[in-house]
């Protein structure tokens, strides 16, 4: 999240948009938490979050899996593959509530305050907050963490670009100063900052040499969180143990959480191997991402006799929008023309895939904020139309005249019609079929590209897409690589087309500049994967970031969504409205999962604990 642009005055509507109930704010301006949508749910002195089991037993082991490998345990570095579970070791200033849309409560910080114009935010650390070695968490640690995050991670530098400084302003107070007023998200996003111990990083490591936070490291880190890392097998396994001396174990935000005595992560070569480990009772929990496997692979005895439970839940999807699909690298000349990008969508036959390999599951994505109220639809109206009219001279006419719609296939006749349409669009873009190849009329170069995948899961989908492209003379090869290579490739922009996506919150803001902004397009490693750089999009991002109330935010986001769709930077694929979970009866969770999350591993517990 980041921000710039028009400086809106803080109106009564804005005050409501950034509301914190009177019960959550003291007379001196200190608050127990922050919400960017409506009031905080919980008052000062609340006992625990409603979605936890405060009597959950402590103990037992949770065995989890991850794909690929890891080569660093440094949480503030944008190089290498970071080991799973590091959030168990490091506390943040604030903790999000999983039953509220956009609320966080004090964790390391007991309270925060900020002026009406949001030009700064001050956090007061808890006196009892301690590192695992017993030293107190100090404002110097927070300042160090902020400065090192910006210095060593380009995404964090961009994310916090409007946080101009962090400074110690009291024995337990640290103040973040912003370079622009009225950016409603900045207090909350600095509350998400990972805090690391300055004194530990500035000391010598276990090898007797000075530690260097600017380099990858496999030394076991020290944090202030509920777990300590106790063993590491590089690239293969990480083991965490619950700390008996954790300073925050009795905090209201932690009651009923951090229940497992041991949490282990084991890495596997691919998801098929991971699933076999789950089936064999070598791991406890499985989040299913394949419709075919969900439909056909759960006929083993442990499912039939109830030792493995299966659930589908909407919890984590309720406040998440998503766009995922085949993303074009606009830095490649072959994808510079919008007509080329739009044409290729006509070769993706989702309906046929849904019939043949998806077992009737999934929905086709038609918005960058799919399944949320922020998704555009129909023709623009009302405030959305007014916002679009402000940049009308920079937009294609169809933004105002033609609602976005994906091509519909599902049978040979429809596919033939779609491919004919694609050929016509490519002709407008300067291509023609010569023999069985689609070539550029001016250069004679064939239209060909590589589709890059993060592992083999999407191969059947990508191969079907590739086969349809071949029917109109386009050679689209498919290449699956392991996760660390995939990460390095997209960070360095070394791809033609890749299968990837963006998650969206129900409360978008500063991160939109990271996803679509022109500055992010220039920066290696940003999440502007496509390299889209457009003045109209930049202007609409500012409208989102500085929306004065919820209605304005919805209208501005829909306008941004509509323009992004018109740019055809991705061939949208599909998603599910539910999460599919399977887990052995060695673990369990509260009767009702949190409204907006799975709470794994935080609110789950071992069924053998306490026995």
């Amino acid at each position: 999240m980041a921000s710039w642009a028009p400086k809106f005055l803080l109106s009564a509507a804005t005050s409501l948009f950034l509301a914190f109930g009177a019960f959550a704010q003291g007379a001196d301006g200190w608050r127990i938490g922050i919400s960017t949508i409506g009031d905080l749910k919980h008052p000062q002195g609340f006992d625990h979050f409603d979605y936890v089991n405060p009597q959950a037993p402590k103990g037992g082991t949770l065995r989890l899996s991850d794909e690929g490998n890891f080569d660093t345990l440094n949480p503030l570095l944008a190089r290498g593959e970071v080991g799973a579970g590091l959030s168990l070791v490091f506390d943040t200033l604030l903790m999000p509530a999983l039953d509220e849309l956009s609320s966080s409560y004090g964790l390391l910080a007991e309270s925060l305050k900020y002026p009406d114009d949001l030009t700064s935010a001050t956090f007061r650390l808890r006196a009892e907050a301690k590192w695992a070695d017993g030293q107190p968490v100090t404002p110097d640690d927070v300042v160090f963490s902020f400065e090192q995050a910006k210095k060593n991670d380009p995404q964090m530098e961009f994310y916090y670009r409007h946080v101009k400084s962090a400074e110690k302003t009291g024995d337990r107070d640290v103040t973040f100063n912003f370079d622009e007023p009225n950016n409603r998200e900045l207090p909350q996003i600095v509350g998400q900052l990972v805090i690391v111990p300055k004194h530990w990083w500035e000391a010598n490591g276990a090898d007797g040499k000075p530690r260097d936070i600017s380099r990858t490291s496999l030394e076991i880190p020290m944090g202030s969180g509920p777990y300590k890392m106790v063993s590491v097998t590089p690239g293969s396994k990480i083991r965490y143990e619950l700390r008996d001396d954790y300073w925050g174990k009795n905090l209201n935000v932690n009651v009923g959480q951090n229940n497992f005595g041991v949490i282990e992560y084991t890495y596997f070569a691919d998801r098929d191997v991971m699933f076999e480990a789950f089936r064999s009772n070598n791991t406890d929990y499985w989040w299913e991402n394949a419709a075919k496997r969900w439909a056909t692979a759960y006929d083993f005895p442990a499912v039939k006799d109830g030792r493995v439970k299966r659930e589908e839940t909407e919890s984590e999807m309720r406040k998440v929008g998503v766009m995922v699909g085949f993303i074009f690298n606009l830095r490649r000349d072959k994808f510079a023309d919008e007509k080329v990008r739009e044409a290729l969508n006509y070769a993706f036959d989702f309906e046929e895939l849904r019939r043949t390999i998806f077992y009737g599951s999934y929905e086709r994505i038609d918005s960058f904020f799919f399944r949320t109220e922020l998704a555009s639809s129909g023709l623009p109206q009302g405030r959305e139309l007014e916002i679009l009219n402000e940049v009308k001279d920079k937009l294609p006419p169809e933004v105002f005249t033609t609602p976005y719609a994906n091509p519909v296939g599902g049978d040979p006749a429809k596919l033939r019609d779609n491919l004919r349409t694609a050929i016509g669009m490519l002709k407008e873009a300067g291509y023609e079929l010569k023999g069985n190849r689609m070539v550029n009329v001016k250069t004679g170069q064939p239209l060909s590209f590589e589709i890059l995948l993060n592992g083999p899961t999407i191969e059947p989908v990508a191969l079907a897409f590739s086969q349809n492209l071949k029917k109109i003379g386009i050679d689209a090869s498919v290449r699956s690589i392991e996760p660390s290579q995939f990460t390095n490739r997209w960070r360095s922009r070394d791809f033609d087309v890749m299968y990837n996506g963006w998650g969206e919150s129900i409360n978008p803001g500063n991160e939109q500049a990271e996803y679509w902004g022109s500055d992010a397009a220039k920066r290696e490693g940003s999440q502007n994967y496509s390299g889209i750089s457009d003045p109209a999009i930049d202007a609409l991002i500012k409208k989102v970031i500085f929306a004065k109330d919820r209605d304005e935010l919805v209208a501005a986001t829909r306008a941004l969504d509509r323009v992004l769709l018109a740019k055809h930077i991705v061939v949208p694929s599909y998603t599910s409205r539910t999460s599919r979970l399977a887990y052995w009866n060695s673990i369990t969770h509260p009767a009702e999962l949190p409204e907006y999350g799975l709470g794994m591993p935080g609110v789950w517990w071992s069924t053998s604990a306490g026995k």
Side-chain angles (χ1 to χ4, degrees):
M1 308 178 186
S3 57
W4 351 283
K7 310 295 192 274
F8 293 117
L9 294 176
L10 195 69
S11 64
T14 310
S15 298
L16 176 60
F17 194 36
L18 296 169
F20 309 87
F23 54 77
Q25 178 180 347
D28 55 359
W30 291 99
R31 313 167 188 269
I32 67 166
I34 183 169
S35 174
T36 52
I37 301 178
D39 291 336
L40 287 172
K41 176 180 178 180
H42 295 288
Q44 178 80 37
F46 71 96
D47 293 329
H48 54 77
F49 290 132
D50 292 343
Y51 50 82
V52 304
N53 172 10
Q55 280 79 48
K58 305 288 185 181
T61 297
L62 173 65
R63 301 165 302 168
L64 298 172
S65 59
D66 209 336
E67 185 178 3
N69 55 46
F70 66 94
D71 57 12
T72 183
L73 301 173
N74 181 347
L76 296 185
L77 194 63
R79 291 201 296 273
E81 288 292 316
V82 180
L86 277 183
S87 61
L88 300 168
V89 173
F90 297 101
D91 278 338
T92 51
L93 294 170
L94 304 176
M95 175 185 285
L98 298 182
D99 60 348
E100 299 178 62
L101 275 174
S102 187
S103 297
S104 297
Y105 295 81
L107 182 52
L108 283 174
E110 67 180 19
S111 56
L112 73 155
K113 67 177 180 179
Y114 45 83
D116 289 344
D117 63 359
L118 295 168
T119 52
S120 67
T122 299
F123 293 79
R124 176 160 291 171
L125 298 175
R126 296 184 190 272
E128 66 271 31
K130 300 269 192 309
W131 298 106
D133 64 0
Q135 292 201 37
V137 179
T138 69
D140 289 334
D141 294 316
V142 179
V143 173
F144 175 79
S145 301
F146 169 73
E147 292 176 347
Q148 294 300 322
K150 289 192 70 171
K151 180 180 178 181
N152 295 307
D153 187 340
Q155 285 193 26
M156 291 298 100
E157 181 183 17
F158 194 83
Y159 191 64
Y160 294 122
R161 63 184 298 193
H162 293 295
V163 185
K164 62 182 181 181
S165 66
E167 59 179 329
K168 179 179 178 179
T169 50
D171 290 342
R172 291 188 287 122
D173 295 351
V174 59
T175 298
F176 295 89
N177 299 298
F178 310 141
D179 68 2
E180 59 187 5
N182 303 325
N183 188 326
R184 58 190 169 79
E185 284 193 318
L186 288 179
Q188 191 167 67
I189 67 173
V190 294
Q192 302 166 355
L193 179 69
V194 174
I195 309 302
V196 300
K198 179 182 180 183
H199 69 280
W200 188 85
W201 278 102
E202 292 184 340
N204 290 340
D207 59 2
K209 298 178 181 179
R211 295 186 177 99
D212 186 351
I213 201 168
S214 69
R215 299 174 65 87
T216 60
S217 171
L218 286 171
E219 181 181 4
I220 290 177
M222 185 188 73
S224 63
Y227 286 83
K228 59 184 177 182
M229 189 183 297
V230 295
S231 64
V232 177
T233 304
S236 177
K237 184 170 288 190
I238 306 176
R239 179 183 174 95
Y240 299 90
E241 290 182 1
L242 187 65
R243 290 175 50 201
D244 291 334
D245 60 348
Y246 173 46
W247 69 272
K249 62 184 175 182
N250 295 319
L251 285 180
N252 51 8
V253 294
N254 283 327
V255 170
Q257 307 212 58
N258 308 314
N259 301 315
F260 293 101
V262 173
I263 299 178
E264 292 180 343
Y265 286 88
T266 301
Y267 281 75
F268 295 89
D270 59 53
R271 286 192 66 85
D272 289 337
V273 178
M274 287 168 63
F275 181 68
E276 288 307 312
F278 173 75
R279 277 173 50 113
S280 302
N281 197 14
N282 289 313
T283 59
D284 297 306
Y285 174 84
W286 180 256
W287 189 92
E288 183 58 76
N289 71 333
K292 180 179 180 180
R293 187 161 47 221
W294 188 249
T296 65
Y298 289 81
D299 57 353
F300 52 98
V303 174
K304 295 177 180 178
D305 64 25
R307 287 177 293 146
V308 167
K309 300 181 180 181
R310 298 208 302 165
E311 296 180 11
E312 290 194 54
T313 175
E314 294 184 5
S315 290
E316 68 174 334
M317 307 298 182
R318 290 190 178 111
K319 68 171 183 178
V320 179
V322 64
M323 169 58 81
V324 64
F326 299 93
I327 301 171
F328 300 110
N329 187 352
L330 274 57
R331 304 166 187 88
R332 302 281 200 262
D333 289 342
K334 66 186 74 177
F335 298 125
D337 193 313
E338 289 175 15
K339 280 294 180 185
V340 171
R341 307 194 298 264
E342 182 180 6
L344 300 185
N345 193 10
Y346 281 82
F348 185 69
D349 192 345
F350 165 75
E351 289 73 21
E352 179 68 7
L353 293 170
R354 191 173 192 270
R355 183 182 67 83
T356 56
I357 67 174
F358 292 162
Y359 290 80
S361 300
Y362 302 129
E363 298 171 85
R364 184 84 194 268
I365 296 170
D366 60 2
S367 166
F368 284 82
F369 300 84
F370 185 69
R371 68 175 169 237
T372 75
E373 67 169 336
L374 303 169
S376 60
S377 62
L379 293 176
Q381 301 178 39
R383 181 58 184 148
E384 180 192 350
L385 179 58
E386 293 174 359
I387 291 171
L388 289 169
N389 278 328
E390 293 178 24
V391 289
K392 187 172 185 177
D393 61 327
K394 300 180 179 69
L395 298 177
E398 57 266 26
V399 167
F400 299 89
T401 62
T402 309
Y404 179 85
N406 287 308
V408 176
D411 62 52
K414 290 178 181 177
L415 178 60
R416 285 194 298 271
D417 288 344
N418 286 339
L419 294 179
R420 277 194 290 267
T421 300
I423 292 170
M425 289 181 172
L426 290 166
K427 185 175 182 180
E428 291 180 48
Y431 285 87
E432 67 178 5
L433 270 173
K434 285 190 175 180
N436 60 353
R437 295 197 305 171
M438 184 68 67
V439 299
N440 186 299
V441 174
K442 291 183 178 178
T443 67
Q445 292 296 312
L447 181 54
S448 63
F449 53 87
E450 179 185 78
I451 300 174
L452 191 66
L453 305 181
N454 184 7
T457 301
I458 304 297
E459 274 186 8
V461 176
L463 289 170
F465 184 31
S466 173
Q467 289 164 7
N468 288 343
L469 290 168
K470 188 174 183 179
K471 294 174 182 177
I472 55 174
I474 298 172
D475 179 18
S477 61
V478 176
R479 184 180 181 191
S480 299
I481 58 178
E482 56 92 16
S484 62
Q485 288 182 311
F486 184 82
T487 299
N488 290 334
R489 290 278 298 269
W490 73 252
R491 281 177 177 170
S492 62
R493 312 313 191 195
D494 182 18
F495 67 93
D496 295 327
V497 177
M498 71 167 174
Y499 193 86
N500 207 339
W502 302 267
E504 293 284 7
S505 80
I506 199 71
N507 188 44
N510 295 274
E511 78 289 345
Q512 301 305 304
E514 168 74 2
Y515 293 171
W516 331 113
S518 295
D519 287 347
K522 304 169 189 173
R523 196 182 77 252
E524 187 173 293
S526 79
Q527 289 178 272
N528 187 335
Y529 306 127
S530 72
I532 185 73
S533 180
D534 185 277
I537 289 174
D538 291 339
L540 293 171
I541 290 170
K542 296 175 185 179
K543 289 289 189 182
V544 171
I545 292 170
F546 289 96
K548 67 182 185 298
D549 55 34
R550 183 68 184 173
D551 289 343
E552 181 78 2
L553 177 69
V554 171
T557 305
R558 288 175 178 173
L560 174 62
D561 181 43
R562 193 179 297 276
V563 175
L564 288 170
L565 290 169
K567 294 297 179 180
H568 301 286
I569 63 175
V570 57
V571 173
S573 60
Y574 53 90
T575 189
S576 171
R577 289 189 180 272
T578 63
S579 298
R580 296 173 294 224
L581 312 178
Y583 55 95
W584 286 82
N585 60 4
S586 55
I587 65 174
T588 191
H589 60 72
E592 295 292 333
L593 287 169
E595 183 73 11
Y596 301 113
L598 301 178
M600 166 56 71
V603 307
W604 294 56
W605 65 89
S606 169
T607 54
S608 64
K611 294 182 180 179

